[in-house]
Amino acid sequence: MLFTDRVDAGRKLAERLAPFEDQDVIVLGLARGGVPVAAEVADALRAPLDVCLVRKLGVPFQPELGMGAVAEEGVTVLNDHVVQASGISRTELEAIERRERELLERRARRYRGERPPLELGGRTVVVVDDGIATGSTARAACRTVRDRGAARVVLAVPVAPAGWGQGPDPNADEVVCLHNPVGFMAVGQFYADFSQTTDEEVVERLDRAVARRPESSSEAEAGAGAGARTGSGSTRSSGSAPTDRDIELSLETVRLPGHLIVPAGAERIVVFAHGSGSSRHSPRNRFVATALNRAGLGTLLFDLLTEPEEHARSNVFDIELLARRLIDVTRELRERPETRGRAVDYFGASTGAAAALWAAAELGDDVGAVVSRGGRPDLAEAHLPAVTARTLLIVGGNDHVVLELNNRARTFLRCESRLEVVPGAGHLFEEPGTLDAVADLARDWFLGRPTAGAKAH
């Protein structure tokens, strides 16, 4: 294997691309697998990151044979030889192009939200993929980037077949490839982990990149909204520098790793308490956190237990221990320069929701709001009457046992509370659109916006 995973490949590719650091470049990752690679390159080069969306136009009776491609901003690239040889009529071609463009536009909205694509005019653009098999999609991407006004196009990949990329390329000004192995059969054979990149990971990578850009501060301040409750001792922090980094939380007896993101101007920090068997790397919590960052909210994902502690299964269900950790972390946030003066909220999943409610009960007005996803508030039942934070309980419609437990737990709450049921969702919210519904509900709750009810979309 040449690479551990796409992150490893991106870091190694970034070393080769080091001469571009601090130059006026933009990095584009081909969706989906190229985005994690491109994100590492963009980080190393301190360059803006965007997604490059290209849809192949396959011959109807031989879909793997490309007769062209469509890209954003109305760009269409056709291989006239293939179109003529396949006997495709203009009407058939237009129907295929229309279908693929609709899918491309849906993915663009999914990945960027309301953000427009980055302007490429007059810039050097580095187009990155996780590897090259035939090169048709990558070359189409380079052609569309050129059509969008790029002054110089660099195609960069970790691996490609022997001989590929050697000599002049009509679509790219420069080709950078780390390895051209003999016996190439598929890109995945050169990765130890070549698992499919999810839409959620693409969104997270892009939003993190936006949070790092200096021009994102005004967007973050606008997204934070004026309706959010500030909580005890909160002061507005507009104009402060954004933060996006790994941190270590030094508690009285342990040190816990975490990842803190504070968009410029953020007034609130949402602390995540993960469920049993999970960690700060939970893809579901990271997905929700990314949506909150996009709305101008800060987030902290951290490990509630040390690695040795996780081996004792009893610790995972020790709600009091988890709540104490959450309380200590909250108090540390009050002292850290990058989080001091900001209101603190909690987002808890499964057993982490019980810990969040327990901690909120003890901290009183120091916690502004709590959101529970598929939570077990019954495990903190004795503490529920003391919770003063606004509390939203989100449960999947197909998670019948947990739904019953949440209905019962809500009768013990004396604070403002609401129960939202996401139709068609199970306990882990793995069904299409259900996690998006959770993110929307949580965002609106933390920002103090009215919600129209959960919808899986």
Side-chain angles (χ1 to χ4, degrees):
M1 300 296 176
L2 294 173
F3 309 107
T4 304
D5 54 18
R6 291 182 177 88
V7 170
D8 177 49
R11 289 171 179 169
K12 291 175 178 174
L13 186 60
E15 294 176 6
R16 179 73 68 83
L17 295 167
F20 290 99
E21 185 177 356
D22 292 328
Q23 295 187 27
D24 187 23
V25 302
I26 289 176
V27 178
L28 301 184
L30 268 75
R32 289 179 292 193
V35 174
V37 183
E40 298 300 321
V41 172
D43 281 353
L45 301 184
R46 290 185 276 190
L49 172 70
D50 201 357
V51 65
C52 185
L53 291 163
V54 176
R55 293 291 301 176
K56 182 175 70 175
L57 302 177
V59 176
F61 53 83
Q62 193 176 353
E64 69 278 6
L65 177 59
M67 55 183 175
V70 294
E72 293 180 276
E73 300 186 3
V75 173
T76 301
V77 177
L78 294 178
N79 185 322
D80 294 330
H81 174 74
V82 175
V83 172
Q84 294 172 5
S86 61
I88 300 297
S89 68
R90 172 56 58 181
T91 301
E92 290 175 308
L93 180 60
E94 289 175 351
I96 294 169
E97 180 180 344
R98 184 165 53 251
R99 183 182 67 243
E100 294 300 329
R101 190 168 294 285
E102 288 173 355
L103 180 56
L104 182 147
E105 290 172 354
R106 285 201 301 272
R107 287 193 172 178
R109 289 192 297 270
R110 165 75 165 155
Y111 296 152
R112 294 198 191 94
E114 299 301 318
R115 294 193 303 268
L118 292 179
E119 291 291 338
L120 307 183
R123 306 286 289 275
T124 294
V125 179
V126 181
V127 179
V128 178
D129 204 357
D130 54 12
I132 293 294
T134 65
S136 58
T137 302
R139 286 183 169 129
C142 291
R143 291 175 66 178
T144 58
V145 165
R146 180 88 72 195
D147 286 348
R148 288 172 58 188
R152 180 173 177 80
V153 181
V154 179
L155 176 59
V157 294
V159 62
W164 190 92
Q166 298 176 9
D169 189 307
N171 304 295
D173 298 294
E174 183 177 349
V175 175
V176 176
C177 181
L178 299 184
H179 299 283
N180 294 100
V182 177
F184 184 105
M185 297 178 62
V187 173
Q189 77 184 98
F190 302 100
Y191 286 80
D193 178 4
F194 198 64
S195 53
Q196 186 178 39
T197 302
T198 64
D199 285 340
E200 290 79 10
E201 185 176 358
V202 172
V203 171
E204 179 191 16
R205 293 283 188 165
L206 293 175
D207 284 349
R208 282 193 180 189
V210 170
R212 292 189 182 99
R213 298 209 306 259
E215 63 267 27
S216 67
S217 60
S218 59
E219 299 170 1
E221 289 181 20
R229 189 174 119 188
T230 57
S232 174
S234 173
T235 58
R236 183 168 180 79
S237 303
S238 59
S240 58
T243 297
D244 183 348
R245 63 188 181 91
D246 292 327
I247 64 172
E248 186 176 70
L249 300 155
S250 300
L251 308 187
E252 188 173 339
T253 58
V254 294
R255 295 177 181 270
L256 302 173
H259 191 87
L260 177 67
I261 296 181
V262 185
E267 294 182 336
R268 317 185 70 80
I269 305 294
V270 179
V271 181
F272 281 70
H274 57 75
S276 58
S278 189
S279 72
R280 70 187 188 281
H281 300 299
S282 162
R284 285 175 287 277
N285 282 348
R286 288 167 62 189
F287 177 80
V288 174
T290 298
L292 300 184
N293 298 147
R294 190 186 305 171
L297 294 162
T299 55
L300 171 65
L301 290 98
F302 76 102
D303 290 349
L304 286 160
L305 299 171
T306 64
E307 189 172 343
E309 287 174 336
E310 289 177 349
H311 295 311
R313 191 65 178 166
S314 59
N315 289 329
V316 174
F317 291 95
D318 187 340
I319 306 303
E320 181 175 7
L321 170 64
L322 303 181
R324 294 289 167 215
R325 293 281 168 85
L326 196 53
I327 290 169
D328 289 345
V329 165
T330 302
R331 288 171 174 160
E332 178 168 332
L333 289 179
R334 301 256 179 236
E335 304 303 321
R336 296 184 73 94
E338 61 271 61
T339 53
R340 186 186 300 123
R342 292 176 167 89
V344 173
D345 300 324
Y346 290 156
F347 182 98
S350 190
T351 52
L357 287 164
W358 186 320
E362 294 208 13
L363 290 172
D365 290 341
D366 283 345
V367 178
V370 176
V371 173
S372 162
R373 171 182 64 81
R376 291 291 309 276
D378 55 296
L379 298 177
E381 191 170 278
H383 300 268
L384 296 182
V387 175
T388 60
R390 300 168 54 250
T391 299
L392 175 65
L393 307 174
I394 307 174
V395 185
N398 295 339
D399 195 6
H400 304 296
V401 173
V402 172
L403 178 56
E404 183 178 344
L405 293 172
N406 275 255
N407 270 312
R408 170 180 163 79
R410 194 176 175 220
T411 65
F412 290 89
L413 290 169
R414 301 290 178 263
C415 58
E416 178 186 348
S417 67
R418 181 167 178 165
L419 174 65
E420 288 282 0
V421 179
V422 178
H427 183 62
L428 297 179
F429 294 86
E430 295 177 308
E431 299 76 11
T434 58
L435 200 56
D436 296 82
V438 170
D440 291 345
L441 288 167
R443 177 201 62 214
D444 291 345
W445 191 258
F446 290 129
L447 292 176
R449 298 174 180 170
T451 58
K455 294 181 181 179
H457 49 273

